[in-house]
Amino acid sequence: MMIYSLVVSILALHTVESANILTIVPFPSYSHEAPLLNIAEELANRGHNLTVITTRLPNKPIKNYRTVDISETYNHFSNLYNIIGFSFQKQWNPMQMINFFPYVIYHLCDFELGLPNVQEFIRTANQTSYDLVIIEDLMFASYFGLVHKLGSPPVVGVTTFPPWTLVNRYMGMPSNPSYMPELFIGYSDEMGFTERFFNTLFHYYTVYLSRLAISPLQERVLRKYFGPDVPSAEEMEYNKSLVLMPADLSISYAAPVPPNVIRIGPLHIEKGKPLPSTIQRWMDESENGVAYFSLGSNMKGTSLKEEKRQAFLDAFAKFPKIRFLWKFEIEDTLTNEVPKNVLIRKWMPQQDIFKHPRLRAFIYQGGLQSTEEAIYHGVPMLGVPLFSDQPFTTLKIVKEGVGLRLRLDDVTPKTVYEALNRLLTEKSFKENALRLSNLQRDQLVTPMESAIWWIEYVIRHKGARHLRPKSLDLSWYQYYLLDVYALIISILLVAILSFYKILKVCLSVCCSSKKKVKTT
């Protein structure tokens, strides 16, 4: 504790004077918003002046903090199913997910940058001198037109996914498909030949999609709102100063990381608050503990097919001494079918539930932040992945021995019962959950302290260009040394050809000499 206090005191000495910081929170989902909004609020509390373009407005006024409201994006996002056929209320395979991705980001950027209050902000933005821009690092490259309009202050990205190819390539972070699993494909870092084969194909398809779909679409939005006189979207994407990566090694795999990418751990873990009295009593009075079921902030329980909902309820009923909490958006829908040991609410204070000592298991869809919360509190998990990074995350918890994974197609009363029974009876799951919790918590300072220090470091050092790997300035053939290999191969070929020619001449001379000897 003394060491921690000393480190925090040293960090406090290395702060910067009040800076003007623009934070851009463009994705309409709590799991994407929370890390950036928490950073923005903490920076404001430390005396910096924050302007936040955000899909989620704060519940209360915050000093030094003003917002540009883009919360209308939630309605537009819900309408994407009618525009491009995408919805978070369906299950998607990896190819479907990666193919939808460029168009989801394109439609979000095009809609948000066209909002009247955003256009007004763009028109007047250069009236304030900004020292830094913070943005979600998820290919929102068209927003860099705004950064250019502000005079190109340093940019810090914040990832809301584990490491993946689309982010890695812009920071000089190697992506090797032999042992680094692609995010949407759902492999671990231990792959057999078949998995490495498909992982490699998916890796290069992702790179192809980035160059030929994502970048051109972002370029189109950039030119639409910022004109022809700004650098390309891809060029500006390469100029980020730093990326903060909340997914630490408790939730992702070891990989080489350049100095401009910082693993910091979860940024959204909250201090405990009292539970609502009904939930508090429900958990306190449980005979053998509680299991909590939630499909996260995007996928709704109402989107589950009736047979799958009933499968969970039938399985829960087989544990009469265990109580269940289920976040389900329309409470009345299941009223006549709910077993006595199941309490349903359309909203649950998830992090406060995790803190309760009688919580024994967490059933969920495999979202990154929910996984981080469960790990932090040492709770075993049953993952039912649906799309995006969820197969990746749930396989990680299986590999670590922290939980089990069940495909949605395989959900039946029997499979859910068997999985839950293992989680509740085999001690190794709890032991491994506590081990991973210790790993996540074992840091010199908190993730938020680390994030703030690095952000202020970038401001102090005017963009911290010394952290940027030179590999980002190399062309692809230079990066892979193809020009060097070509020269080496050319020299070897010339040497071999020369040797062949010399040998041929020598043999010719020798043969000629032998013929002359025989003639004489």
Side-chain angles (χ1 to χ4, degrees):
M1 187 65 188
M2 288 179 64
I3 294 175
Y4 173 80
S5 300
L6 178 61
V7 170
V8 171
S9 299
I10 293 172
L11 292 180
L13 293 174
H14 288 80
T15 57
V16 297
E17 294 180 2
S18 178
N20 294 322
I21 300 173
L22 173 65
T23 300
I24 302 171
V25 187
F27 201 94
S29 168
Y30 175 77
S31 58
H32 290 258
E33 298 158 340
L36 287 99
L37 292 177
N38 287 350
I39 288 174
E41 183 172 348
E42 182 63 23
L43 286 167
N45 290 339
R46 293 177 183 230
H48 297 292
N49 300 311
L50 271 292
T51 300
V52 186
I53 301 175
T54 176
T55 49
R56 183 181 297 270
L57 299 177
N59 296 324
K60 58 184 180 181
I62 302 171
K63 188 179 178 181
N64 307 321
Y65 189 107
R66 72 183 182 103
T67 60
V68 178
D69 182 7
I70 57 171
S71 58
E72 291 178 52
T73 308
Y74 268 93
N75 293 330
H76 181 68
F77 189 72
S78 299
N79 196 42
L80 284 184
Y81 187 76
N82 297 323
I83 300 172
I84 59 173
F86 178 78
S87 170
F88 272 149
Q89 307 313 312
K90 295 181 66 177
Q91 189 174 17
W92 303 106
N93 66 42
M95 284 302 293
Q96 289 172 323
M97 195 69 204
I98 195 67
N99 283 325
F100 271 125
F101 181 78
Y103 300 96
V104 171
I105 300 300
Y106 164 74
H107 282 283
L108 289 179
C109 290
D110 189 33
F111 177 79
E112 291 171 355
L113 288 170
L115 289 171
N117 50 346
V118 175
Q119 283 294 298
E120 176 62 19
F121 177 77
I122 292 172
R123 189 180 64 81
T124 61
N126 56 9
Q127 295 176 8
T128 300
S129 177
Y130 285 94
D131 302 291
L132 186 79
V133 176
I134 301 172
I135 187 170
E136 181 178 4
D137 199 14
L138 195 63
M139 305 302 291
F140 292 103
S142 53
Y143 268 99
F144 282 82
L146 174 56
V147 177
H148 182 77
K149 186 176 176 64
L150 296 174
S152 300
V155 176
V156 171
V158 179
T159 65
T160 51
F161 279 137
W164 66 320
T165 299
L166 285 180
V167 172
N168 296 355
R169 62 186 289 255
Y170 289 106
M171 299 306 293
M173 183 173 172
S175 292
N176 188 331
S178 65
Y179 71 99
M180 297 171 69
E182 283 299 315
L183 187 63
F184 292 161
I185 205 167
Y187 294 154
S188 77
D189 60 345
E190 295 181 5
M191 294 176 275
F193 175 79
T194 302
E195 290 172 322
R196 284 188 291 113
F197 174 76
F198 285 110
N199 192 58
T200 301
L201 292 181
F202 199 83
H203 167 78
Y204 285 109
Y205 182 74
T206 302
V207 174
Y208 156 82
L209 205 65
S210 172
R211 294 186 186 278
L212 298 183
I214 298 174
S215 290
L217 287 170
Q218 287 299 301
E219 190 73 18
R220 185 188 304 177
V221 179
L222 177 72
R223 300 300 162 197
K224 178 179 177 179
Y225 293 106
F226 298 100
D229 300 326
V230 295
S232 71
E234 187 163 44
E235 179 184 346
M236 291 189 286
E237 184 89 67
Y238 273 112
N239 280 324
K240 291 190 294 288
S241 296
L242 190 77
V243 163
L244 300 176
M245 192 178 292
D248 61 15
L249 292 177
S250 68
I251 197 60
S252 60
Y253 301 102
V257 177
N260 58 344
V261 177
I262 310 297
R263 292 183 184 267
I264 53 176
L267 290 163
H268 67 289
I269 303 298
E270 299 174 354
K271 295 179 180 179
K273 299 187 295 291
L275 284 165
S277 57
T278 305
I279 297 176
Q280 181 73 47
R281 188 164 55 251
W282 181 263
M283 299 186 76
D284 288 344
E285 295 174 358
S286 60
E287 186 173 349
N288 281 349
V290 177
Y292 170 51
F293 182 22
S294 170
L295 291 176
S297 57
N298 292 318
M299 181 74 175
K300 299 184 184 302
T302 48
S303 297
L304 284 178
K305 292 181 179 178
E306 180 64 32
E307 63 179 288
K308 300 302 180 185
R309 284 185 261 170
Q310 195 59 49
F312 282 108
L313 290 171
D314 291 346
F316 297 164
K318 295 179 181 179
F319 295 92
K321 295 184 179 181
I322 300 291
R323 287 187 170 182
F324 291 85
L325 292 168
W326 187 353
K327 185 184 82 68
F328 195 87
E329 293 72 22
I330 305 176
E331 298 175 25
D332 296 340
T333 304
L334 298 172
T335 300
N336 298 327
E337 309 162 0
V338 177
K340 293 182 179 179
N341 64 331
V342 179
L343 178 66
I344 291 178
R345 291 289 182 268
K346 62 183 177 181
W347 175 81
M348 294 277 186
Q350 180 163 297
Q351 293 202 45
D352 300 321
I353 290 172
F354 279 132
K355 293 179 176 69
H356 198 287
R358 297 197 66 76
L359 184 66
R360 296 184 59 191
F362 178 37
I363 309 160
Y364 77 130
Q365 88 292 10
L368 173 64
Q369 292 192 357
S370 290
T371 307
E372 289 173 330
E373 291 165 15
I375 288 173
Y376 186 84
H377 294 287
V379 181
M381 291 163 268
L382 171 58
V384 186
L386 301 167
F387 48 70
S388 190
D389 60 328
Q390 295 166 6
F392 175 99
T393 306
T394 51
L395 185 59
K396 171 68 173 177
I397 68 168
V398 171
K399 183 182 177 184
E400 294 288 350
V402 178
L404 299 169
R405 183 167 75 162
L406 193 61
R407 293 176 63 249
L408 183 62
D409 292 342
D410 296 332
V411 166
T412 65
K414 182 175 183 293
T415 57
V416 174
Y417 171 79
E418 289 174 348
L420 275 175
N421 191 53
R422 285 191 62 192
L423 283 184
L424 295 169
T425 57
E426 296 180 19
K427 294 181 179 179
S428 62
F429 291 108
K430 183 64 176 180
E431 291 169 354
N432 285 322
L434 293 173
R435 172 182 60 80
L436 218 56
S437 176
N438 289 333
L439 175 64
Q440 188 186 85
R441 292 170 180 247
D442 191 7
Q443 300 192 50
L444 191 59
V445 295
T446 67
M448 185 59 73
E449 290 282 352
S450 179
I452 300 302
W453 188 86
W454 278 107
I455 288 168
E456 293 183 337
Y457 180 91
V458 170
I459 297 173
R460 286 196 301 271
H461 295 282
K462 310 299 181 186
R465 300 293 289 178
H466 56 280
L467 298 177
R468 188 175 186 269
K470 195 62 182 176
S471 60
L472 292 171
D473 297 324
L474 299 178
S475 61
W476 63 273
Y477 66 86
Q478 291 174 318
Y479 179 80
Y480 290 107
L481 290 174
L482 297 185
D483 52 346
V484 174
Y485 294 144
L487 179 60
I488 292 172
I489 292 170
S490 298
I491 292 171
L492 289 174
L493 287 174
V494 169
I496 292 169
L497 186 60
S498 299
F499 178 76
Y500 171 75
K501 290 287 187 182
I502 293 169
L503 184 61
K504 187 176 180 181
V505 170
C506 291
L507 289 174
S508 175
V509 170
C510 288
C511 290
S512 176
S513 299
K514 286 181 180 179
K515 285 181 181 179
K516 288 181 179 179
V517 170
K518 286 181 180 180
T519 302
T520 58

